[in-house]
Amino acid sequence: MHLSRVGISKLCFLLSLAFCAFLLLLIPSLQPPQHPIDVPHPRPHGRTMGTRGGGASQQQGRLGSLELPVTAQVTGNDSLVPPSGNGEMKDGDTVEGNAGGVFKAQGDGRTSLVTGKRETAQFLGDDGHQGRLPHPRDRLELGDIFIAVKTTRKYHKSRVDLLFQTWISRAKEQTFIFTDGEDKELRMKAGDNMINTNCSAAHTRQALCCKMSVEYDKFIESQRKWFCHVDDDNYVILPSLLRLLSSYSHTQDIYLGRPSLDHPIEAAERVKSDGSTSVKFWFATGGAGFCISRGLALKMSPWASLGNFISTAEKIRLPDDCTIGYIIEALLEVAMTHTRLFHSHLENLQRLPTDTVLRQVTLSYGGYENRRNVVSIGGSFSLAEDPSRFKTVHCLLFPDTEWCPRKKLP
């Protein structure tokens, strides 16, 4: 009797195992068919680019809070912005397209740095035909931008006064003057937006980095979306600046500017190591101006905030604009977006096509050693009356300015 019970138990156990095995085999056939899933392409490290916005249609009316009194048209001539000094695209160059993002040159094609795919973007032709253009990433107003103008006391009259007469008059609340000495007249014009950094007036690496350190801290305090740095010999074309920045998201890692060299610079790595190794990186020249998104600026904080910028610059022994590039490209591993919309006195400004001048973001002019280095643009002012051509540009952009000559009615 006992043996028969043991046999029955074993039989039940074996039947249970067989039933479980049968269920395991049956389950996959009862499931619904799986649909293929498109796996998104990963974004490259440190490069979270938006799309280039703006179009080539008539852009009049209001862009953010800024009046656009002139017609702006983008043509195919501005579609690609190669960083190479000779104007040619080379393998590995990163360029911007006015219709859709940032690309890396590879042989005879382009590979998107956003999607990783080889693709053909839609651009505007010379006839103004508009292809499929992306919408702006940010709903941006002029009040979202922090524009820092670096100057020194001896240029308050000869340079800064001209800026207040022209483009700063359209962006007083958004523009901050960083100087090295008190000036009652400038204080009357700028109010609290004149910031005496108490840095040295000498044009040395230490003095320049001292001012940039104050600029950075003031921007972080401002809670604004974009930090744009220019010099006191730059004219900022505000409608173009708004269009450019609106093409990106301020929460992403964006570093916009123009290098003064056609190759990255090399410096001893003294932050991550003891200086026995070197690092290569691009930097945007401060003489042409550059812009940094708030998202990226916040990540710079360990090496830039509360005086850390000065110590970082001292370690690598480079000036302010180079140190900005070092922090962003070498330490944070975020690539600079090259653009030819920014201009400094170091380039031949006469070569800039006349019909593209008003579409640039910044302009400049030559100093005492090269007074003829100005943009070629005609207007109501002669070269003697307007040696920088800033007044001419301003009156073409904002003809309603009270001191601009009025056209006589026939």
Side-chain angles (χ1 to χ4, degrees), residues 44-98:
H45 177 69
R47 185 87 175 191
T48 53
M49 302 304 303
T51 53
R52 292 294 306 272
S57 58
Q58 305 293 320
Q59 298 198 31
Q60 290 182 330
R62 297 184 70 84
L63 178 56
S65 61
L66 181 69
E67 290 286 348
L68 301 184
V70 296
T71 298
Q73 185 179 25
V74 182
T75 66
N77 296 331
D78 297 326
S79 295
L80 295 178
V81 189
S84 305
N86 58 8
E88 297 179 357
M89 283 181 59
K90 302 175 181 178
D91 282 2
D93 278 356
T94 56
V95 298
E96 289 182 88
N98 64 7

Short mmCIF file of all heavy atoms in Angstrom, two decimals, residues 44-98:
data_model
loop_
_atom_site.label_atom_id
_atom_site.label_comp_id
_atom_site.label_asym_id
_atom_site.label_seq_id
_atom_site.Cartn_x
_atom_site.Cartn_y
_atom_site.Cartn_z
N PRO A 44 25.73 63.05 -30.39
CA PRO A 44 27.13 63.04 -30.00
C PRO A 44 27.33 63.73 -28.67
O PRO A 44 26.62 64.67 -28.35
CB PRO A 44 27.82 63.79 -31.15
CG PRO A 44 26.75 64.60 -31.76
CD PRO A 44 25.46 63.83 -31.57
N HIS A 45 28.32 63.30 -27.92
CA HIS A 45 28.57 63.82 -26.58
C HIS A 45 28.85 65.31 -26.62
O HIS A 45 29.68 65.79 -27.38
CB HIS A 45 29.77 63.11 -25.95
CG HIS A 45 30.12 63.65 -24.61
ND1 HIS A 45 29.32 63.48 -23.51
CD2 HIS A 45 31.18 64.37 -24.20
CE1 HIS A 45 29.89 64.06 -22.47
NE2 HIS A 45 31.02 64.61 -22.87
N GLY A 46 28.12 66.06 -25.78
CA GLY A 46 28.41 67.48 -25.62
C GLY A 46 27.88 68.37 -26.71
O GLY A 46 28.08 69.55 -26.68
N ARG A 47 27.18 67.81 -27.71
CA ARG A 47 26.73 68.65 -28.82
C ARG A 47 25.23 68.55 -28.93
O ARG A 47 24.69 67.67 -29.58
CB ARG A 47 27.39 68.16 -30.11
CG ARG A 47 27.08 69.03 -31.31
CD ARG A 47 28.06 70.15 -31.38
NE ARG A 47 27.88 70.95 -32.57
CZ ARG A 47 28.73 71.85 -32.96
NH1 ARG A 47 29.81 72.07 -32.26
NH2 ARG A 47 28.52 72.56 -34.03
N THR A 48 24.50 69.37 -28.24
CA THR A 48 23.05 69.33 -28.28
C THR A 48 22.56 70.56 -29.02
O THR A 48 22.24 71.57 -28.42
CB THR A 48 22.48 69.30 -26.85
OG1 THR A 48 23.03 70.40 -26.13
CG2 THR A 48 22.83 68.02 -26.15
N MET A 49 22.57 70.46 -30.33
CA MET A 49 22.29 71.62 -31.13
C MET A 49 20.82 71.71 -31.48
O MET A 49 20.16 70.71 -31.68
CB MET A 49 23.08 71.56 -32.45
CG MET A 49 24.58 71.46 -32.22
SD MET A 49 25.21 72.79 -31.20
CE MET A 49 24.69 74.18 -32.15
N GLY A 50 20.36 72.94 -31.58
CA GLY A 50 19.02 73.18 -32.07
C GLY A 50 19.04 73.29 -33.57
O GLY A 50 20.03 72.99 -34.23
N THR A 51 17.94 73.73 -34.15
CA THR A 51 17.87 73.92 -35.57
C THR A 51 17.94 75.39 -35.89
O THR A 51 17.53 76.23 -35.11
CB THR A 51 16.56 73.34 -36.12
OG1 THR A 51 15.48 73.90 -35.37
CG2 THR A 51 16.55 71.84 -36.00
N ARG A 52 18.49 75.67 -37.02
CA ARG A 52 18.57 77.06 -37.44
C ARG A 52 17.22 77.53 -37.90
O ARG A 52 16.61 76.94 -38.76
CB ARG A 52 19.56 77.21 -38.60
CG ARG A 52 20.99 76.98 -38.20
CD ARG A 52 21.51 78.00 -37.23
NE ARG A 52 21.32 79.33 -37.72
CZ ARG A 52 22.18 79.97 -38.47
NH1 ARG A 52 23.28 79.41 -38.83
NH2 ARG A 52 21.93 81.20 -38.87
N GLY A 53 16.75 78.60 -37.30
CA GLY A 53 15.44 79.08 -37.66
C GLY A 53 15.52 80.24 -38.60
O GLY A 53 16.52 80.49 -39.25
N GLY A 54 14.44 80.98 -38.65
CA GLY A 54 14.39 82.12 -39.52
C GLY A 54 14.14 81.71 -40.94
O GLY A 54 14.40 80.60 -41.34
N GLY A 55 13.63 82.58 -41.74
CA GLY A 55 13.38 82.24 -43.12
C GLY A 55 13.90 83.32 -44.02
O GLY A 55 14.56 84.24 -43.62
N ALA A 56 13.59 83.18 -45.29
CA ALA A 56 14.04 84.16 -46.25
C ALA A 56 12.90 85.03 -46.71
O ALA A 56 13.07 85.85 -47.58
CB ALA A 56 14.67 83.45 -47.43
N SER A 57 11.75 84.86 -46.14
CA SER A 57 10.62 85.68 -46.53
C SER A 57 10.76 87.06 -45.92
O SER A 57 11.68 87.35 -45.17
CB SER A 57 9.32 85.03 -46.06
OG SER A 57 9.36 84.84 -44.67
N GLN A 58 9.82 87.95 -46.23
CA GLN A 58 9.86 89.30 -45.68
C GLN A 58 9.65 89.20 -44.18
O GLN A 58 8.66 88.67 -43.72
CB GLN A 58 8.76 90.15 -46.30
CG GLN A 58 8.78 90.18 -47.82
CD GLN A 58 10.01 90.89 -48.34
OE1 GLN A 58 10.39 91.90 -47.77
NE2 GLN A 58 10.63 90.39 -49.37
N GLN A 59 10.57 89.76 -43.40
CA GLN A 59 10.46 89.68 -41.95
C GLN A 59 10.34 91.09 -41.41
O GLN A 59 11.33 91.71 -41.02
CB GLN A 59 11.69 88.99 -41.36
CG GLN A 59 11.79 87.56 -41.85
CD GLN A 59 12.70 86.75 -40.95
OE1 GLN A 59 12.79 87.01 -39.76
NE2 GLN A 59 13.35 85.77 -41.51
N GLN A 60 9.11 91.60 -41.40
CA GLN A 60 8.86 92.91 -40.85
C GLN A 60 7.90 92.77 -39.69
O GLN A 60 7.25 91.76 -39.52
CB GLN A 60 8.25 93.82 -41.92
CG GLN A 60 9.25 94.19 -43.02
CD GLN A 60 8.63 95.13 -44.02
OE1 GLN A 60 7.43 95.08 -44.23
NE2 GLN A 60 9.43 95.97 -44.60
N GLY A 61 7.79 93.84 -38.91
CA GLY A 61 6.93 93.81 -37.73
C GLY A 61 7.76 93.60 -36.50
O GLY A 61 8.84 94.14 -36.39
N ARG A 62 7.27 92.76 -35.58
CA ARG A 62 7.96 92.60 -34.31
C ARG A 62 8.56 91.21 -34.21
O ARG A 62 7.95 90.22 -34.52
CB ARG A 62 6.99 92.81 -33.15
CG ARG A 62 6.43 94.23 -33.11
CD ARG A 62 5.56 94.41 -31.90
NE ARG A 62 6.36 94.43 -30.68
CZ ARG A 62 6.96 95.49 -30.21
NH1 ARG A 62 6.90 96.63 -30.86
NH2 ARG A 62 7.64 95.45 -29.11
N LEU A 63 9.82 91.14 -33.77
CA LEU A 63 10.47 89.88 -33.46
C LEU A 63 10.80 89.96 -31.99
O LEU A 63 11.70 90.65 -31.58
CB LEU A 63 11.75 89.70 -34.29
CG LEU A 63 12.56 88.45 -34.03
CD1 LEU A 63 11.69 87.22 -34.23
CD2 LEU A 63 13.75 88.39 -34.95
N GLY A 64 10.05 89.22 -31.17
CA GLY A 64 10.15 89.42 -29.74
C GLY A 64 9.60 90.79 -29.43
O GLY A 64 8.50 91.13 -29.80
N SER A 65 10.38 91.61 -28.75
CA SER A 65 9.93 92.95 -28.40
C SER A 65 10.65 94.01 -29.23
O SER A 65 10.59 95.18 -28.93
CB SER A 65 10.20 93.22 -26.91
OG SER A 65 11.59 93.12 -26.66
N LEU A 66 11.35 93.58 -30.30
CA LEU A 66 12.15 94.51 -31.08
C LEU A 66 11.50 94.77 -32.42
O LEU A 66 11.12 93.86 -33.13
CB LEU A 66 13.55 93.93 -31.30
CG LEU A 66 14.52 94.80 -32.08
CD1 LEU A 66 14.91 96.02 -31.26
CD2 LEU A 66 15.75 94.01 -32.45
N GLU A 67 11.35 96.06 -32.76
CA GLU A 67 10.80 96.42 -34.06
C GLU A 67 11.82 96.11 -35.16
O GLU A 67 13.01 96.37 -35.01
CB GLU A 67 10.49 97.92 -34.09
CG GLU A 67 9.31 98.33 -33.22
CD GLU A 67 7.99 97.91 -33.82
OE1 GLU A 67 7.97 97.53 -34.99
OE2 GLU A 67 6.97 97.97 -33.10
N LEU A 68 11.34 95.56 -36.25
CA LEU A 68 12.18 95.31 -37.41
C LEU A 68 11.72 96.24 -38.53
O LEU A 68 10.85 95.89 -39.31
CB LEU A 68 12.07 93.85 -37.87
CG LEU A 68 12.45 92.81 -36.83
CD1 LEU A 68 12.38 91.43 -37.45
CD2 LEU A 68 13.84 93.06 -36.31
N PRO A 69 12.28 97.42 -38.63
CA PRO A 69 11.80 98.37 -39.62
C PRO A 69 12.30 98.10 -41.02
O PRO A 69 11.91 98.76 -41.94
CB PRO A 69 12.35 99.70 -39.10
CG PRO A 69 13.60 99.33 -38.40
CD PRO A 69 13.34 97.97 -37.81
N VAL A 70 13.24 97.16 -41.16
CA VAL A 70 13.78 96.90 -42.48
C VAL A 70 13.42 95.50 -42.91
O VAL A 70 13.08 94.64 -42.11
CB VAL A 70 15.33 97.05 -42.49
CG1 VAL A 70 15.72 98.47 -42.18
CG2 VAL A 70 15.96 96.08 -41.50
N THR A 71 13.49 95.26 -44.21
CA THR A 71 13.22 93.93 -44.75
C THR A 71 14.49 93.11 -44.70
O THR A 71 15.53 93.55 -45.17
CB THR A 71 12.74 94.04 -46.20
OG1 THR A 71 11.53 94.78 -46.21
CG2 THR A 71 12.51 92.67 -46.80
N ALA A 72 14.39 91.93 -44.11
CA ALA A 72 15.56 91.06 -44.02
C ALA A 72 15.33 89.85 -44.90
O ALA A 72 14.29 89.21 -44.82
CB ALA A 72 15.79 90.62 -42.57
N GLN A 73 16.28 89.55 -45.75
CA GLN A 73 16.17 88.38 -46.61
C GLN A 73 17.46 87.61 -46.57
O GLN A 73 18.54 88.18 -46.67
CB GLN A 73 15.86 88.81 -48.05
CG GLN A 73 15.61 87.62 -48.97
CD GLN A 73 15.28 88.06 -50.38
OE1 GLN A 73 15.68 89.14 -50.77
NE2 GLN A 73 14.57 87.25 -51.11
N VAL A 74 17.35 86.30 -46.38
CA VAL A 74 18.52 85.45 -46.35
C VAL A 74 18.58 84.70 -47.66
O VAL A 74 17.60 84.11 -48.08
CB VAL A 74 18.44 84.44 -45.19
CG1 VAL A 74 19.69 83.59 -45.13
CG2 VAL A 74 18.26 85.18 -43.87
N THR A 75 19.71 84.73 -48.31
CA THR A 75 19.85 84.06 -49.58
C THR A 75 20.74 82.85 -49.45
O THR A 75 21.34 82.60 -48.41
CB THR A 75 20.46 85.00 -50.63
OG1 THR A 75 21.79 85.30 -50.24
CG2 THR A 75 19.67 86.30 -50.72
N GLY A 76 20.85 82.14 -50.53
CA GLY A 76 21.67 80.94 -50.52
C GLY A 76 23.13 81.21 -50.26
O GLY A 76 23.89 80.31 -49.94
N ASN A 77 23.58 82.44 -50.43
CA ASN A 77 24.98 82.76 -50.19
C ASN A 77 25.37 82.55 -48.75
O ASN A 77 26.54 82.40 -48.44
CB ASN A 77 25.27 84.21 -50.59
CG ASN A 77 25.08 84.44 -52.07
OD1 ASN A 77 25.25 83.52 -52.85
ND2 ASN A 77 24.70 85.65 -52.45
N ASP A 78 24.41 82.60 -47.82
CA ASP A 78 24.71 82.46 -46.41
C ASP A 78 24.37 81.07 -45.89
O ASP A 78 24.33 80.84 -44.70
CB ASP A 78 23.91 83.49 -45.58
CG ASP A 78 24.30 84.90 -45.95
OD1 ASP A 78 25.48 85.10 -46.25
OD2 ASP A 78 23.43 85.77 -45.93
N SER A 79 24.13 80.12 -46.78
CA SER A 79 23.67 78.81 -46.35
C SER A 79 24.70 78.07 -45.54
O SER A 79 24.39 77.42 -44.56
CB SER A 79 23.27 77.96 -47.56
OG SER A 79 22.16 78.52 -48.22
N LEU A 80 25.95 78.12 -45.96
CA LEU A 80 26.99 77.38 -45.27
C LEU A 80 28.00 78.33 -44.68
O LEU A 80 28.36 79.33 -45.30
CB LEU A 80 27.69 76.40 -46.22
CG LEU A 80 26.81 75.28 -46.76
CD1 LEU A 80 27.64 74.42 -47.72
CD2 LEU A 80 26.26 74.43 -45.64
N VAL A 81 28.49 78.00 -43.50
CA VAL A 81 29.43 78.87 -42.82
C VAL A 81 30.67 78.06 -42.46
O VAL A 81 30.78 77.53 -41.37
CB VAL A 81 28.80 79.47 -41.54
CG1 VAL A 81 29.70 80.53 -40.95
CG2 VAL A 81 27.44 80.04 -41.85
N PRO A 82 31.60 77.86 -43.40
CA PRO A 82 32.77 77.05 -43.11
C PRO A 82 33.72 77.78 -42.19
O PRO A 82 33.95 78.97 -42.34
CB PRO A 82 33.40 76.83 -44.49
CG PRO A 82 32.95 77.99 -45.30
CD PRO A 82 31.60 78.38 -44.77
N PRO A 83 34.29 77.08 -41.20
CA PRO A 83 35.22 77.74 -40.29
C PRO A 83 36.61 77.91 -40.87
O PRO A 83 37.42 78.62 -40.32
CB PRO A 83 35.24 76.79 -39.08
CG PRO A 83 34.96 75.46 -39.67
CD PRO A 83 34.01 75.70 -40.83
N SER A 84 36.92 77.23 -41.96
CA SER A 84 38.27 77.29 -42.49
C SER A 84 38.59 78.69 -42.97
O SER A 84 37.76 79.37 -43.56
CB SER A 84 38.41 76.29 -43.64
OG SER A 84 38.06 75.00 -43.21
N GLY A 85 39.80 79.12 -42.74
CA GLY A 85 40.17 80.47 -43.08
C GLY A 85 40.09 80.78 -44.56
O GLY A 85 39.88 81.91 -44.97
N ASN A 86 40.29 79.78 -45.43
CA ASN A 86 40.26 80.05 -46.85
C ASN A 86 38.88 79.96 -47.45
O ASN A 86 38.69 80.04 -48.66
CB ASN A 86 41.19 79.08 -47.58
CG ASN A 86 40.80 77.62 -47.33
OD1 ASN A 86 39.76 77.36 -46.74
ND2 ASN A 86 41.64 76.70 -47.77
N GLY A 87 37.85 79.77 -46.62
CA GLY A 87 36.48 79.74 -47.11
C GLY A 87 36.05 78.42 -47.70
O GLY A 87 34.94 78.30 -48.21
N GLU A 88 36.91 77.41 -47.65
CA GLU A 88 36.56 76.11 -48.21
C GLU A 88 36.23 75.14 -47.10
O GLU A 88 36.80 75.18 -46.02
CB GLU A 88 37.73 75.54 -49.03
CG GLU A 88 38.09 76.41 -50.24
CD GLU A 88 39.26 75.84 -51.00
OE1 GLU A 88 39.80 74.81 -50.55
OE2 GLU A 88 39.64 76.41 -52.03
N MET A 89 35.30 74.23 -47.37
CA MET A 89 34.96 73.20 -46.40
C MET A 89 35.97 72.07 -46.51
O MET A 89 36.28 71.59 -47.60
CB MET A 89 33.55 72.66 -46.65
CG MET A 89 32.46 73.57 -46.17
SD MET A 89 30.84 72.86 -46.47
CE MET A 89 31.00 71.33 -45.55
N LYS A 90 36.45 71.64 -45.38
CA LYS A 90 37.37 70.51 -45.33
C LYS A 90 36.72 69.39 -44.54
O LYS A 90 35.79 69.60 -43.78
CB LYS A 90 38.68 70.92 -44.63
CG LYS A 90 39.39 72.09 -45.31
CD LYS A 90 40.61 72.49 -44.50
CE LYS A 90 41.32 73.67 -45.12
NZ LYS A 90 42.48 74.11 -44.31
N ASP A 91 37.24 68.16 -44.74
CA ASP A 91 36.72 67.05 -43.95
C ASP A 91 36.90 67.35 -42.48
O ASP A 91 37.97 67.73 -42.02
CB ASP A 91 37.49 65.76 -44.30
CG ASP A 91 37.00 65.17 -45.61
OD1 ASP A 91 36.13 65.80 -46.23
OD2 ASP A 91 37.49 64.09 -45.99
N GLY A 92 35.81 67.17 -41.74
CA GLY A 92 35.86 67.41 -40.31
C GLY A 92 35.41 68.79 -39.90
O GLY A 92 35.18 69.05 -38.73
N ASP A 93 35.27 69.73 -40.86
CA ASP A 93 34.79 71.06 -40.53
C ASP A 93 33.33 71.00 -40.12
O ASP A 93 32.55 70.23 -40.65
CB ASP A 93 34.91 72.01 -41.73
CG ASP A 93 36.32 72.56 -41.88
OD1 ASP A 93 37.15 72.26 -41.01
OD2 ASP A 93 36.57 73.27 -42.87
N THR A 94 32.95 71.82 -39.14
CA THR A 94 31.55 71.94 -38.77
C THR A 94 31.03 73.24 -39.31
O THR A 94 31.68 74.28 -39.21
CB THR A 94 31.38 71.92 -37.23
OG1 THR A 94 32.19 72.95 -36.68
CG2 THR A 94 31.77 70.59 -36.67
N VAL A 95 29.85 73.20 -39.90
CA VAL A 95 29.28 74.39 -40.51
C VAL A 95 27.82 74.49 -40.15
O VAL A 95 27.19 73.52 -39.76
CB VAL A 95 29.42 74.37 -42.05
CG1 VAL A 95 30.85 74.36 -42.47
CG2 VAL A 95 28.68 73.18 -42.63
N GLU A 96 27.29 75.71 -40.28
CA GLU A 96 25.88 75.93 -40.00
C GLU A 96 25.13 76.12 -41.31
O GLU A 96 25.62 76.74 -42.24
CB GLU A 96 25.68 77.22 -39.20
CG GLU A 96 26.15 77.13 -37.78
CD GLU A 96 25.86 78.44 -37.10
OE1 GLU A 96 24.76 78.58 -36.56
OE2 GLU A 96 26.73 79.31 -37.14
N GLY A 97 23.93 75.60 -41.36
CA GLY A 97 23.05 75.86 -42.49
C GLY A 97 21.89 76.72 -42.01
O GLY A 97 21.38 76.51 -40.93
N ASN A 98 21.47 77.68 -42.84
CA ASN A 98 20.40 78.55 -42.39
C ASN A 98 19.06 77.84 -42.38
O ASN A 98 18.07 78.39 -41.99
CB ASN A 98 20.32 79.81 -43.27
CG ASN A 98 19.97 79.49 -44.71
OD1 ASN A 98 19.66 78.36 -45.05
ND2 ASN A 98 20.04 80.49 -45.56
#
